Amino acid sequence: MCGQSSFFDQWSRHRERKKFKKGAPLELLILCVLRYLGRGWVIDDLEEATYISYETIRKFIYTFIDWGSTELYDQFVVAPIT
């Protein structure tokens, strides 16, 4: 879902990269976000574990949270039936 969302165009593999340097794998960045949110890892730990720059991880985390609070929320959160 992340690879198909326009939120992640900067990191998506589906984008042509002839003019751009190869970036960090989207899957590894998603793993970073899940460890950040679910396990309480800090960005320094993620940087050491993945060798992805601090700034790249930081930007991806903010983008992922923005995506989750808009597209994922609208798609998966429903009001309980009373």
Side-chain angles (χ1 to χ4, degrees):
M1 291 174 66
C2 289
Q4 297 171 353
S5 175
S6 62
F7 275 82
F8 302 101
D9 282 347
Q10 180 179 353
W11 297 282
S12 179
R13 268 196 262 166
H14 302 291
R15 186 173 160 194
E16 270 188 45
R17 295 201 180 254
K18 292 179 183 176
K19 299 177 186 174
F20 305 100
K21 294 189 292 184
K22 187 158 179 119
L26 188 60
E27 294 84 0
L28 196 53
L29 288 166
I30 293 169
L31 178 63
C32 286
V33 171
L34 295 176
R35 285 183 173 170
Y36 179 81
L37 295 173
R39 298 297 223 157
W41 285 33
V42 295
I43 298 177
D44 290 339
D45 294 334
L46 297 168
E47 182 181 24
E48 289 175 4
T50 61
Y51 298 104
I52 299 173
S53 75
Y54 184 97
E55 192 63 18
T56 300
I57 295 170
R58 185 189 68 79
K59 286 180 183 178
F60 190 83
I61 288 171
Y62 284 120
T63 303
F64 187 89
I65 291 172
D66 189 27
W67 175 68
S69 66
T70 54
E71 287 188 16
L72 283 184
Y73 183 86
D74 293 339
Q75 190 172 4
F76 292 105
V77 177
V78 294
I81 299 173
T82 57

